[in-house]
Amino acid sequence: MTGKDPKDMTASELLRWAAENDKLRMRCDMCMKFYMMDSCGGHDCNDWLIDLADKIDAEIEEARIRYFLENLDTRIEKYGYPSRIERELFDEWINRCFIQRPLDEAGEPVQFGDCNIDWNDTAECRHPGVQWNATAVDCDGMLLATAFGRIIAVAETDENGRVKRRAPEVLLADGLPAKVGETVYRVDTGKGFEIARIAPMCPGDDMSKTLVLWGDDNEWRAAIDHTHTPPVLAADGLPLREGETVWLTDEGARHAGGSDTMAEAGPYALCGIGANDRLTVKALPSRFYPNRVDLTEEGAWCPASWLTHTPPDSQERIDGDAQKSTLEYWGCRDASCECCPAETDGKTPRGRFDARNCQQAQMLDLLRRQRELDACKGGE
């Protein structure tokens, strides 16, 4: 209180301040009037100031309670609830007139009729997996499911006595439900993550829009962007999809135009396919052909590791890329540096080329590509 300016103090605070600091000299008859005495004695000279401040606080609190209860009675009458007994407090009225619902893990009261609850079946009624509806509360406050005049299930509670809600089913892109602890994969990049927990972005959100929290990075990612099946990755580390355009890698280009269907390691059939031809994925590997990607062109097929989404370099591509801005070149116009889309093997362009910045890394990468193209032309 000592840090407050007197103009910011309440009346009771000013009285206490005056009593503690003896700043005011009050007339003795004020003290005697307050305590109804005929003469001085039995009290410290400033006692009446403190007691008067307490009396002010009590009167203000009583006024607040009276205002609240008067408005409460008006609402009770308006909505037809049981009337409040004279001088009955709000908590007393609630406990007398209404059944208290136990709270769930989020601190929300469970309503009668709720069914997304973890139930412990009773000895008389065992039906594993059945979603009973909450219908009653026993004298100990336990949530019950009842039917035909008997208790058929008791709600499971955590260590704090909160009712456990059953986790809703959250489907991934493959239509299968997500489960905590399993590894799933991003549809666009193929990166795998282990599910740490499943929850909406904010408490109370629609669970149909549930997001999944991965690992320990505390980042939310949409469940619909992931799948249970590990993707088939091309040589560039990106998932292969049916119908998309790909090219042969240097390894694949060395086998272009040939076929070796009898070899045990990496059989292929690339008859009629040129080293730099534009190709289309027809079918991904199956359990019968676990390392075979079928191509539309010439009925060809080869291992996924021989394919890439990056077209063969050419002088035209290098010249065109040299005119791009750094953001366009590395494809990071709509991304932050923390989520660099040009990262390879955990290194950003700047890290790969040991450059001062990504602009210098762009220049070094263009020079590298030009040297490789010139070397390729020299060998032709």
Side-chain angles (χ1 to χ4, degrees):
M1 188 186 302
T2 56
K4 274 190 175 183
D5 190 287
K7 70 175 184 296
D8 297 324
M9 294 181 185
T10 63
S12 55
E13 286 175 337
L14 280 170
L15 287 172
R16 287 194 177 89
W17 173 78
E20 292 168 1
N21 295 278
D22 198 22
K23 297 293 184 182
L24 300 177
R25 299 296 180 183
M26 297 295 179
R27 289 166 51 185
C28 291
D29 60 348
M30 288 292 293
C31 176
M32 289 185 286
K33 185 175 184 64
F34 186 82
Y35 292 116
M36 295 182 291
M37 299 184 305
D38 294 330
S39 61
C40 183
H43 288 278
D44 184 80
C45 289
N46 286 327
D47 283 353
W48 74 275
L49 288 167
I50 297 173
D51 291 340
L52 180 59
D54 292 340
K55 181 176 175 62
I56 292 173
D57 284 342
E59 289 174 350
I60 291 174
E61 183 62 22
E62 184 181 356
R64 287 174 177 167
I65 294 174
R66 186 170 60 252
Y67 176 79
F68 169 76
L69 292 177
E70 287 174 354
N71 280 275
L72 175 64
D73 289 335
T74 301
R75 290 182 176 275
I76 287 174
E77 183 179 356
K78 177 180 179 181
Y79 294 108
Y81 294 131
S83 299
R84 200 169 52 85
I85 299 173
E86 185 179 359
R87 303 190 69 82
E88 185 177 36
L89 297 178
F90 177 70
D91 291 347
E92 295 170 340
W93 174 70
I94 287 289
N95 291 330
R96 180 174 62 86
C97 298
F98 298 94
I99 298 175
Q100 299 296 296
R101 272 80 161 176
L103 304 180
D104 62 17
E105 295 164 299
E108 291 294 321
V110 179
Q111 301 299 321
F112 294 140
D114 286 357
C115 62
N116 59 331
I117 294 167
D118 281 341
W119 294 104
N120 290 321
D121 295 331
T122 62
E124 295 78 16
C125 185
R126 296 188 180 278
H127 294 278
V130 175
Q131 285 291 76
W132 304 112
N133 292 84
T135 56
V137 176
D138 67 10
C139 57
D140 295 321
M142 296 297 294
L143 187 69
L144 308 175
T146 59
F148 309 110
R150 59 177 177 169
I151 298 172
I152 55 178
V154 180
E156 187 175 339
T157 58
D158 62 12
E159 62 276 7
N160 298 315
R162 299 290 182 88
V163 173
K164 290 185 177 181
R165 295 278 192 180
R166 179 169 294 187
E169 192 174 73
V170 179
L171 304 182
L172 301 188
D174 53 14
L176 300 175
K179 297 179 181 178
V180 173
E182 66 183 358
T183 300
V184 294
Y185 306 86
R186 280 194 65 91
V187 173
D188 53 353
T189 65
K191 290 184 179 179
F193 300 91
E194 183 176 315
I195 300 177
R197 69 183 179 96
I198 302 173
M201 177 66 78
C202 300
D205 278 358
D206 184 357
M207 294 305 288
S208 65
K209 301 176 182 177
T210 297
L211 305 182
V212 180
L213 180 63
W214 307 108
D216 299 322
D217 59 4
N218 203 32
E219 292 290 332
W220 292 92
R221 296 175 174 88
I224 196 63
D225 292 337
H226 297 78
T227 178
H228 291 84
T229 306
V232 179
L233 302 180
D236 53 17
L238 298 177
L240 287 170
R241 298 185 182 85
E242 294 180 2
E244 68 181 356
T245 300
V246 293
W247 288 265
L248 292 174
T249 61
D250 293 340
E251 174 68 16
R254 285 195 289 271
H255 298 86
S259 177
D260 187 8
T261 58
M262 299 302 293
E264 292 183 4
Y268 69 96
L270 294 174
C271 296
I273 301 297
N276 296 325
D277 285 359
R278 188 189 194 93
L279 306 173
T280 305
V281 177
K282 181 180 181 181
L284 298 176
S286 63
R287 64 189 182 94
F288 300 106
Y289 302 103
N291 194 35
R292 165 173 163 171
V293 178
D294 288 343
L295 304 171
T296 300
E297 292 75 15
E298 307 295 336
W301 48 277
C302 68
S305 59
W306 288 10
L307 300 172
T308 178
H309 296 85
T310 305
D313 230 342
S314 64
Q315 191 62 57
E316 291 75 15
R317 285 191 63 223
I318 294 175
D319 292 344
D321 288 347
Q323 300 179 43
K324 292 180 178 178
S325 68
T326 302
L327 295 178
E328 291 175 322
Y329 187 82
W330 296 117
C332 55
R333 181 178 295 280
D334 298 320
S336 64
C337 291
E338 289 76 13
C339 303
C340 177
E343 185 177 294
T344 303
D345 296 330
K347 291 185 177 181
T348 62
R350 182 176 59 183
R352 290 202 304 273
F353 291 95
D354 194 22
R356 289 195 303 271
N357 50 51
C358 289
Q359 186 175 6
Q360 188 181 71
Q362 175 187 0
M363 179 182 65
L364 294 172
D365 192 46
L366 286 167
L367 292 173
R368 174 194 63 79
R369 291 168 56 191
Q370 188 66 60
R371 287 194 300 271
E372 292 177 356
L373 181 63
D374 293 342
C376 183
K377 290 180 177 179
E380 292 179 353

